[in-house]
Amino acid sequence: MDKKLHRLETFRVQDMHGATYKVHAYEHLTRVDNLLDMQTQWEPTGEVEYKLATGEHLDMAEDGTMHVAGSSMPLQRLSPSAHAM
């Protein structure tokens, strides 16, 4: 099964020390071959992953708090009006 990532959004988060980081949200897609018209289509799998712009994976808690994988430092999403991209 072929897979690829599709970037859904980019936003900023802030750690407890006030440092901000850019985060990219990616949707996992899987390839679906349409035999009728020989076109390749990509369908979402329902899985979303979050990464810092520097490449580190983020874990998302149920309350929306994020952590760099393997870290306990919480990252809170900033509202769009709190920063400029």
Side-chain angles (χ1 to χ4, degrees), residues 24-72:
H24 300 292
Y26 295 96
E27 174 181 45
H28 287 238
L29 302 176
T30 187
R31 187 173 77 168
V32 178
D33 293 321
N34 187 338
L35 299 176
L36 297 176
D37 61 9
M38 299 305 291
Q39 295 291 321
T40 298
Q41 296 178 347
W42 294 90
E43 298 288 333
T45 65
E47 184 179 355
V48 176
E49 79 178 62
Y50 299 89
K51 293 183 182 182
L52 291 178
T54 53
E56 293 96 331
H57 288 269
L58 298 175
D59 295 326
M60 173 84 77
E62 287 184 22
D63 66 358
T65 302
M66 296 180 189
H67 297 83
V68 174
S71 166
S72 62

